Each structure stands twice: as C-alpha cells, then as structure tokens.
C-alpha cells in the first residue's frame, strides 16, 4: 500500500450493491438449489463488471465488491459476517435470527456479559424505531439464521477464497487495476456465533483466529491486500448491558486484538488493512463508544492501514482525535469521507474539506480517501455509485490544493 506521492488515493470499504442476477444466485445457493461451483459461474461476470465500474469511476484500490460473500438480499447489514458460516467447520445450523431472538450469552473476563441483539442498548432506547414493521430500522431486512458452534472450528473455505482471489486478479488484469483487496472476517467478530463447545472466551476467540488465518494467508500469498473487518472492537460496546466502564471494556477487547495479531503473525504488514466499525445498520447509534477510547488500541494491530468512520453523523467530528494521537511512521489511514448511513450524496467540496482536515493532522501522504462502511446492502445502487463518484471528485479537488 504505497503512500501518496502526488495525489490523494481513493478506495472504499468493500461491499458494493449486488445485481438482481447475483441476488437470485445467492438465494438459490443458500436454499441448496445450486452448489458453490454454480454460484461461482454467476460471480465471474459480476466481479469483472464491478471492478470495471470502480476503475471507470476512478478508484485506485479496488475489490470484488465482496460478491463472493453470500448475502440475503438487497438490504443486508450482516453479509460481512454471515459469509463465514459457509467457510467454517464445527458449526450446526439453527433457525435462530440473532437480530430477532433473545438468548443467553456467555460471560467474559471482567464480569462482562454480552447481551442478545434484541437487548442491545441502542435498540432498547429506540425500541419502536427499530421494530416498526413499515419504517423501522430493521423493516426491510431479510431474516437470516445464524448457526451455533458444536465442535472444533476449522477452515473449510479454501475453494471459496480461491475463487475470490482468482476473480479479483482476473478482473484487475482486464481493467488495468494495480492494487486490489479482499475483505475477511476478524477472529473477534467470528466469535460472536453462539458457542456450545469451547470452555472459555479465550479458547473460542483463538480458535477463530486459527481458522480465519487460513483465509488471510491465502489472500496475502496471492499478492493482494487483506482487509480485516472487525466490528467486535467498537460495536460490542453497545452489546454489553448494563454499560461497562471503559477500562473493563478495553480489557475485554484486548483479547480480540491479541487474537487478531496472533492470526496475522508473519504475514506482510504492508498487505494488511484493518476496518474498525460501529455497525452498519441505519440506527441512531447513540450508544457508540467514542473513537478517542479506541484509537490507541487500534494502532497496536499489525496492519499498515486503518479504516474507520469519519463522516457519519455520530463520528464525523472525531478527526480531532488525531490532533493529540500520533500516527506511527509508515502507517496510513482510510477515513470514510462519504457515509453508508444516509441517502444524501455528499458534495465533492465537502469531501475535499474532510480530506484536508485529515491531511492537516496526519499528513497528506498518509490519507487515503474511503467510505465509512460498505455501501452494498445499505444503499440503492444508484446512490452508492453517486457517492463513489463524489468521493473521487472530492479527492481530485483536495489533491489540487494539497500537492
């Protein structure tokens, strides 16, 4: 991941809107009507097309739109996680949708107890807004069943990740893209599946690290960048009810960071970027933990680049955190300068202003313009495309001013 030399480079977080054809293929795959090879046939043309669109828009660092990650529909806040259910052994399917089903979850070190999704603090504060069947936060989300862990976790996704790698590399070669990334689930987020096998939180998280490392290594061995998707670092704060102290939460989170660094051991740091996320659903997010409490912990993760929200209504002001936190030498940041959480398309001048704010505190050579989170599953394709166009134009304006 080269540093900027003559302009602000651009990318995005990963997920891009699927076409109707891909949505149909995903539905048939999850229903058992087609196998992985047949799904792959549908993905081949789709990935070429989505990479071509990224290049036509002007993005520098492209990906496969996460098309190889199975999705439940046009509105899907969890495909970044749910795809792993098809790539891990040791899981048993259930009929439970964790967004709808209350459950008893494990205790963790420091007497922290993760509550079930219906009892999360933001959802509890805005219960009617979340559950209104017509206009609520979850109104258009398809129900997705999550499995439970009933045996030792193993990685079984070799064929699937090989397909992801082959498709993005072929698309890059055809479109002239020189930098590409593939997203993969973090150990801490992988461990949010209901556990009926491992005796402790630590055993569970490290088992996830051992399994998911195979995916990370396959991606970096192919010469691509791996993006670690990890809402467990920030988003889990909202899933602890009652609210813990910040100190207890950071101790709880340290295990997830340690396990991730263990999974990333010996992998080339310049091919790793980390995505911090407070959750991509379109809720109020009033219980998000402030970035100032997480930034130091984030910077201990073995990655060259760090991606995080920088334009959402809850986190757009937090560029100021970098006025008293030093970005280590050789590291880059991927702030989101357009948001997944609103249909309003940011003006390019606003994007340019946001880029310049970050350049003023971390250096223009260290800012790569990105999105807050994945746009696929959160925004209509027309709006997602317009946001990426505005991002690229804003980076062009900022580059003229900064270089």
């Amino acid at each position: 991941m080269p540093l900027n030399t003559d302009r602000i480079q651009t990318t995005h977080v990963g997920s891009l809107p699927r076409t109707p054809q891909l949505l149909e293929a995903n539905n048939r795959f999850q229903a058992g009507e087609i196998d992985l090879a047949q799904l792959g046939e549908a993905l081949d043309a789709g990935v070429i097309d989505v990479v071509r669109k990224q290049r036509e828009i002007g993005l520098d660092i492209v990906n496969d739109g996460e098309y190889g990650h199975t999705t439940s529909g046009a509105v899907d806040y969890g495909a970044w996680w749910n795809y792993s259910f098809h790539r891990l052994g040791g899981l048993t399917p259930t009929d439970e949708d964790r967004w709808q089903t209350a459950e008893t979850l494990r205790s963790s070190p420091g007497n922290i107890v993760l509550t079930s999704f219906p009892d999360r603090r933001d959802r509890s504060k805005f219960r009617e807004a979340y559950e209104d069947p017509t206009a609520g936060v979850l109104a258009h989300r398809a129900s997705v069943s999550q499995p439970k862990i009933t045996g030792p976790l193993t990685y079984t996704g070799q064929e699937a990740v090989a397909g992801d790698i082959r498709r993005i590399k072929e698309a890059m070669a055809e479109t002239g893209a020189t930098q590409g990334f593939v997203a993969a689930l973090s150990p801490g987020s992988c461990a949010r599946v209901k556990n009926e096998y491992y005796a402790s939180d630590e055993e569970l998280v490290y088992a996830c690290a051992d399994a998911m490392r195979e995916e990370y290594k396959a991606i970096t061995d192919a010469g691509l960048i791996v993006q670690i998707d990890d809402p467990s670092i920030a988003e889990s704060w909202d899933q602890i009810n009652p609210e813990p102290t910040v100190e207890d939460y950071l101790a709880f989170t340290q295990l997830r960071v340690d396990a991730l660094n263990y999974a990333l051991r010996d992998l080339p740091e310049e091919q790793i970027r980390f995505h911090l996320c407070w959750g991509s659903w379109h809720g109020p997010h009033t219980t998000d933990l402030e970035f100032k409490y997480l930034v130091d912990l984030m910077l201990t993760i073995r990655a060259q680049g760090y991606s995080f929200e920088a334009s959402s209504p809850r986190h757009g002001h937090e560029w100021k955190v970098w006025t008293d936190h030093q970005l280590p030498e050789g590291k880059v940041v991927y702030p989101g300068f357009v948001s997944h959480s609103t249909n309003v398309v940011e003006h390019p001048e606003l994007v340019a202003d946001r880029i310049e704010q970050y350049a003023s505190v971390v250096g223009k050579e260290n800012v790569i313009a990105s999105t807050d989170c994945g746009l696929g599953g959160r925004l209509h394709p027309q709006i997602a495309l317009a946001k990426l166009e505005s991002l690229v134009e804003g980076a062009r304006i900022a580059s003229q001013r900064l270089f």
Side-chain angles (χ1 to χ4, degrees):
M1 291 182 284
L3 303 181
N4 298 327
T5 55
D6 60 354
R7 60 188 173 84
I8 300 294
Q9 296 182 84
T10 55
T11 188
H12 61 99
V13 166
S15 181
L16 294 173
R18 276 66 162 179
T19 63
Q21 294 84 356
L22 284 176
L23 291 173
E24 180 184 3
N26 269 274
N27 290 339
R28 294 185 65 197
F29 173 71
Q30 294 186 86
E33 297 174 5
I34 61 175
D35 60 20
L36 183 62
Q38 292 169 305
L39 176 63
E41 293 173 6
L43 293 173
D44 286 346
V47 171
I48 287 284
D49 184 57
V50 78
V51 172
R52 183 180 294 113
K53 286 181 179 177
Q54 292 171 72
R55 295 296 296 143
E56 289 172 351
I57 290 169
L59 290 168
D60 296 295
I61 309 170
V62 301
N63 84 327
D64 61 351
E66 294 185 18
Y67 281 8
H69 291 185
T70 48
T71 187
S72 63
V75 178
D76 188 339
Y77 302 136
W80 60 273
W81 172 37
N82 297 335
Y83 87 96
S84 68
F85 306 157
H86 301 285
R87 301 190 184 189
L88 292 171
L91 303 179
T92 297
T94 76
D95 294 327
E96 295 182 357
D97 179 350
R98 294 188 67 189
W99 280 92
Q100 305 298 343
T101 305
E103 58 185 332
T104 301
L105 297 174
R106 67 190 183 277
S107 296
S108 299
N111 296 318
I112 282 179
V113 178
L114 291 173
T115 191
S116 59
F117 277 41
D119 296 317
R120 296 174 72 134
R121 286 185 280 115
D122 196 60
R123 186 163 169 177
S124 296
K125 287 177 65 176
F126 297 93
R127 182 75 65 188
E128 292 182 13
Y130 268 84
E131 299 179 5
D132 185 299
T134 302
V137 172
L138 305 177
H140 302 288
R141 173 189 168 272
S143 180
V144 178
S145 297
Q146 285 84 28
K148 58 185 177 181
I149 301 171
T150 56
L153 286 172
T154 58
Y155 187 73
T156 61
Q158 290 85 358
E159 183 182 353
V161 73
D164 293 340
I165 291 166
R166 174 184 60 79
R167 280 184 283 271
I168 181 64
K169 293 190 78 170
E170 289 177 354
M172 290 172 63
E174 182 164 323
T175 61
T178 58
Q179 299 182 74
F181 72 97
V182 176
L185 183 68
S186 72
S189 294
C190 174
R192 299 201 305 178
V193 176
K194 188 174 183 180
N195 169 42
E196 294 183 356
Y197 179 79
Y198 291 98
S200 70
D201 197 36
E202 182 173 3
E203 282 186 40
L204 169 61
V205 176
Y206 273 87
C208 290
D210 280 327
M212 292 308 302
R213 173 179 166 83
E214 289 199 40
E215 187 158 287
Y216 312 155
K217 190 173 188 304
I219 295 166
T220 56
D221 281 354
L224 297 165
I225 298 164
V226 61
Q227 175 181 286
I228 305 299
D229 286 340
D230 198 0
S232 76
I233 302 300
E235 184 201 324
S236 294
W237 168 263
D238 173 59
Q239 201 183 341
I240 300 168
N241 200 356
E243 181 179 310
T245 65
V246 172
E247 291 74 20
D248 283 347
Y249 180 72
L250 293 180
F252 163 83
T253 304
Q254 185 67 56
L255 169 61
R256 283 134 185 87
V257 171
D258 291 343
L260 174 58
N261 282 334
Y262 163 77
L264 295 174
R265 67 191 185 281
D266 303 325
L267 300 183
E269 197 168 297
E270 67 273 12
Q271 288 176 241
I272 301 167
R273 71 191 215 187
F274 175 81
H275 176 55
L276 183 83
C277 184
W278 283 267
S280 60
W281 70 90
H282 294 184
H285 286 273
T286 58
T287 56
D288 285 2
L289 182 63
E290 292 179 86
F291 187 39
K292 65 183 179 182
Y293 297 119
L294 296 167
V295 61
D296 288 329
L297 189 62
M298 181 188 75
L299 291 174
T300 68
I301 292 168
R302 291 192 68 258
Q304 188 187 45
Y306 304 99
S307 161
F308 46 85
E309 293 184 40
S311 60
S312 82
R314 292 302 299 185
H315 299 284
H317 64 291
E318 292 184 305
W319 66 273
K320 299 172 187 175
V321 166
W322 296 100
T323 61
D324 53 12
H325 287 79
Q326 182 70 38
L327 182 66
E329 186 176 355
K331 304 287 188 176
V332 297
V333 292
Y334 295 78
F337 296 124
V338 299
S339 181
H340 64 292
S341 63
T342 173
N343 284 333
V344 177
V345 176
E346 294 82 353
H347 195 285
E349 285 283 353
L350 175 61
V351 173
D353 288 347
R354 288 171 171 170
I355 291 171
E356 290 179 80
Q357 282 180 333
Y358 270 84
S360 72
V361 289
V362 302
K364 62 186 180 183
E365 66 279 7
N366 301 320
V367 181
I368 297 176
S370 188
T371 60
D372 272 351
C373 197
L375 305 182
R378 290 96 178 176
L379 293 170
H380 188 279
Q382 281 189 316
I383 296 173
L385 180 66
K387 281 178 175 278
L388 292 176
E389 290 171 342
S390 189
L391 176 71
V392 170
E393 176 61 14
R396 185 191 65 79
I397 294 170
S399 296
Q400 288 181 334
R401 297 171 180 167
L402 293 169
F403 290 89

